[in-house]
Amino acid sequence: MKKALFLFMIFGMGLRSQPLPKVADVPFYGPLNTQNVEYNPIISPTGRYLVFQSNRPGGEGGMDIWVSENTSYPDRMKTPEWDAPKNFRELNTPNFEGMFSVLFNEEEKPYELYFTSSRYEDPRDRKKNRDGYDGLNIYYTKVNPRTGLWSLPVHLNEINSNFEDKMPAISPDGCNMVFSSNRPGGRGGYDLWISKRNPITKLEEKEIERDKPALNCSDGVWQKPIPMGSIINSAKDEISPYYHWDGNRIYFSSNRDDKHNKFSFHFSEFDEATNQFLKPTLLGTPFNTKQELSGNSTGFPFDTPADYSTYSLWEESDNEGISITFDDLWFYFASNRPGGEGQFDIYRTQVPEDLRRSYEFIFRGLVLDGSEALMIGIDATLKIYDEKKPIQIITSKRIGGDLTGENEENFKTTIKTGKLYRVEVSSPGFQPTELLLDLRGNVGKNKEQYSRIILLPIRPLKDERPDKTIKGIKFVVKDKKTDLLIPNAELIYFDDVTRKGKMIPSKDNAFILNSVPMIGFEILAKAKGYKEDTFIFPVTKIPELEGKETVLYLRNLNDYDSLYNTIIYFPFNERIISDEDKKKLDLLADFLIRNKNEIIEIGGHTDNVGNKEYNIALSEDRALAVYRYLREKGVAKEKMKIQAYYYSQPMTENETEDGRAKNRRVNFKKIE
């Protein structure tokens, strides 16, 4: 089981559950869609990259494969902002390339790519030469693990025929390929065919936490294709197949039951009992048409014009090529409906709730008394809300003993995935708290969450401010590991006015700001033998600091690996990582991958030229550039946090160009 461990010491947060908003289908504009064809959009599992085919200008010629990056990633609810698509020149030729499928590995990186093309000879560039039969064929390429580049495409002799073979769809486990072909043996027109392969290499036996099928067939020989039969195929055309992430559903387009031979989306579920796909269902109720079609509604429109302006336009548009994000939230599809930029365009719409998988999910853990160093489990009430109403009320029990392991629990219940839950936790004499369980989208089977919920006792207000003699704001500096005061520490104050910084005087190892700042500020803390750090205090937090003692923690240098001293420098106003610095980041990436418990902060810094707002944005861009590079090298996003600084942590003085150059940088801080 995949487990998530959360520690809550929250009281009075006032969180409220929000239902998943209903979002209309989005017709993307430039630079993604053009007046040309944009077709067969394949979204990457996380929604960061979109691969599609297009005959737009700037390619190798004819239909090419293109890729675009979502610059608003990783926000999964925000409308994507696609950058200018880049031509996939490694695979494209002046001939036809398109209608493809990507197989991702367990790390969600592209592993294999199957695409449609045709025989091609180029005496000027033999790397572009392509064997094959007459007409369209299916080709295969694989990422070279050493170079990261795609290998030369290979014609799949065991799959292709002397007829049109196109539009491959590879299953998530890599063991099945569905494609469209007009070869003899089908029911008529283009039919869906399937081929299977067995692995030729035995995968390492290890438990991998995953929400989709394992990549069982990463290599192997494809068997002779067979038609998918009369349940799936019709006398008309079936094209553009696509596998759902769990491997148990396929989507495709067909012009069956349409007098104008226009294509609509269908889906079919795999029945493990009979080992075959079931009768297809039309995807979505067709809006704005008088034509009555069988099948239940599956939600928001697929077979309708984007602006709903014409009563019978469903009959006049084709809908071909569909894919889904791995979180089960978004469909991407292509359509030539009116209202787009050109011929076929790419659209996005939310996955209807009744098409999302729902599984039983175990929520268990401990409710603890946080008033003592050795905590015990306490009697408490947990109310679980589904959107607006409580669906369950459970209780925790008072228990003692060693409660440090995840197997120790005093509450346990089962809920269903696919929703956002709010949990209220209360006990007499303790501050109540709340937590959210976001189980929307793809959660997967056999999952659970283990939570340690710490309730703090209700104390009189006077106990919250034991030292009423503090005037202004008081800071002390302590060792992160030992919680002991650090003698001879230094604190330097920065704000948008005090760009060069000023020392805060100390007395008895305490630092006091007698005048409470009126604007947000930062404190740079230093001490011999410790890694310096910057603490940010926005203006909204200042009232919470006044009249209280705030502890600033520093880590001893002995607690750090030397790689944490890595510094990435940037030219003036630049955000691009140099090739030399990429070598440093490669070492850091390898260290983070090997050390599973290390979590780092990526801190961006600037010199003091320019205003605060601009410099913070520039710092964030630099930190994001490093974050993205480390992600590409395989570092999990959960192991990295981004922080944008401005003037408050200079390596040296900002009076000279050499000094400012040393301050334009990204460096790293150990969080855990």
Side-chain angles (χ1 to χ4, degrees), residues 25 286-288 301-308 313-314 317 319 335 337:
D25 55 336
F287 294 89
N288 305 317
F302 290 87
D303 305 310
T304 183
D307 57 1
Y308 315 115
L313 278 177
W314 174 79
S317 60
N319 303 275
S335 176
R337 63 188 56 180

Side-chain angles (χ1 to χ4, degrees), residues 79-90:
T79 299
E81 299 173 6
W82 298 105
D83 66 1
K86 298 177 178 59
N87 190 270
F88 208 146
R89 299 195 187 276
E90 285 183 71

Side-chain angles (χ1 to χ4, degrees), residues 414-427:
T414 300
I415 52 181
K416 300 288 283 188
T417 64
K419 297 181 180 180
L420 178 67
Y421 296 95
R422 177 171 59 90
V423 183
E424 292 181 352
V425 188
S426 60
S427 182

Side-chain angles (χ1 to χ4, degrees), residues 112-387:
E112 292 180 334
L113 190 148
Y114 295 83
F115 65 100
T116 310
S117 188
S118 58
R119 187 171 56 212
Y120 181 72
E121 293 184 8
D122 187 348
R124 298 167 301 175
D125 186 359
R126 295 191 178 278
K127 291 182 179 179
K128 297 287 188 180
N129 286 357
R130 203 156 285 169
D131 294 331
Y133 302 130
D134 293 338
L136 293 176
N137 298 295
I138 297 173
Y139 294 82
Y140 152 82
T141 180
K142 183 177 180 180
V143 171
N144 185 318
R146 184 177 60 84
T147 65
L149 302 176
W150 293 96
S151 61
L152 292 178
V154 176
H155 177 261
L156 290 178
N157 294 317
E158 61 271 33
I159 294 289
N160 295 314
S161 67
N162 286 309
F163 294 84
E164 302 286 340
D165 302 300
K166 61 182 183 178
M167 300 179 171
I170 187 80
S171 62
D173 63 3
C175 296
N176 297 282
M177 182 200 299
V178 175
F179 63 96
S180 183
S181 177
N182 64 350
R183 65 179 67 189
R187 295 199 62 201
Y190 283 93
D191 288 313
L192 297 185
W193 294 67
I194 188 169
S195 175
K196 301 178 182 294
R197 68 174 173 180
N198 297 318
I200 59 174
T201 56
K202 185 175 177 59
L203 298 180
E204 180 182 351
E205 294 294 335
K206 59 181 180 179
E207 182 180 351
I208 302 175
E209 295 180 349
R210 58 170 60 91
D211 299 326
K212 64 179 179 180
L215 185 56
N216 294 324
C217 304
S218 56
D219 297 288
V221 178
W222 292 102
Q223 300 175 14
K224 182 180 179 180
I226 59 174
M228 295 191 71
S230 59
I231 295 178
I232 297 296
N233 293 320
S234 70
K236 291 289 189 69
D237 297 316
E238 282 71 43
I239 62 172
S240 303
Y242 175 80
Y243 267 97
H244 187 268
W245 54 264
D246 65 3
N248 292 320
R249 180 189 294 160
I250 58 169
Y251 296 92
F252 61 93
S253 292
S254 177
N255 58 3
R256 63 180 71 191
D257 301 323
D258 186 90
K259 60 184 178 181
H260 296 289
N261 289 322
K262 297 299 179 180
F263 285 90
S264 300
F265 294 119
H266 297 70
F267 72 91
S268 174
E269 301 283 358
F270 183 75
D271 182 13
E272 294 183 358
T274 61
N275 197 35
Q276 64 181 3
F277 284 94
L278 302 177
K279 182 180 179 181
T281 301
L282 183 69
L283 184 59
T285 299
F287 294 89
N288 305 317
T289 177
K290 292 181 179 179
Q291 186 172 351
E292 294 183 3
L293 295 173
S294 61
N296 296 325
S297 169
T298 56
F300 207 66
F302 290 87
D303 305 310
T304 183
D307 57 1
Y308 315 115
S309 59
T310 306
Y311 191 70
S312 61
L313 278 177
W314 174 79
E315 297 179 349
E316 301 171 6
S317 60
D318 291 297
N319 303 275
E320 306 172 19
I322 192 167
S323 63
I324 187 172
T325 53
F326 183 52
D327 57 15
D328 240 359
L329 289 182
W330 301 107
F331 274 125
Y332 285 77
F333 63 98
S335 176
N336 62 359
R337 63 188 56 180
E341 290 290 282
Q343 300 170 44
F344 271 90
D345 286 308
I346 296 172
Y347 294 80
R348 184 187 82 156
T349 196
Q350 204 170 96
V351 176
E353 287 290 345
D354 55 351
L355 280 183
R356 293 184 184 147
R357 306 292 195 193
S358 182
Y359 306 109
E360 289 191 344
F361 182 92
I362 297 174
F363 174 47
R364 67 185 187 91
L366 285 166
V367 181
L368 299 165
D369 178 355
S371 63
E372 303 292 340
L374 184 61
M375 290 182 282
I376 62 171
I378 56 174
D379 296 326
T381 300
L382 294 88
K383 295 182 180 180
I384 303 176
Y385 289 80
D386 169 9
E387 298 180 357

Side-chain angles (χ1 to χ4, degrees), residues 423-437:
V423 183
E424 292 181 352
V425 188
S426 60
S427 182
F430 291 85
Q431 294 276 6
T433 189
E434 294 182 354
L435 62 119
L436 291 181
L437 297 177

Side-chain angles (χ1 to χ4, degrees), residues 23 38 77 121 144 169 199 206 208 252 261 285 392 413 430 538 553 566 578 593 596 610 632 641 643 652:
V23 181
E38 279 75 40
M77 299 307 296
E121 293 184 8
N144 185 318
K206 59 181 180 179
I208 302 175
F252 61 93
N261 289 322
T285 299
Q392 282 193 47
T413 190
F430 291 85
Y553 287 102
T566 301
S578 69
I593 292 171
K596 304 297 185 183
E632 291 172 359
K641 300 183 185 300
Q643 181 63 58
T652 183

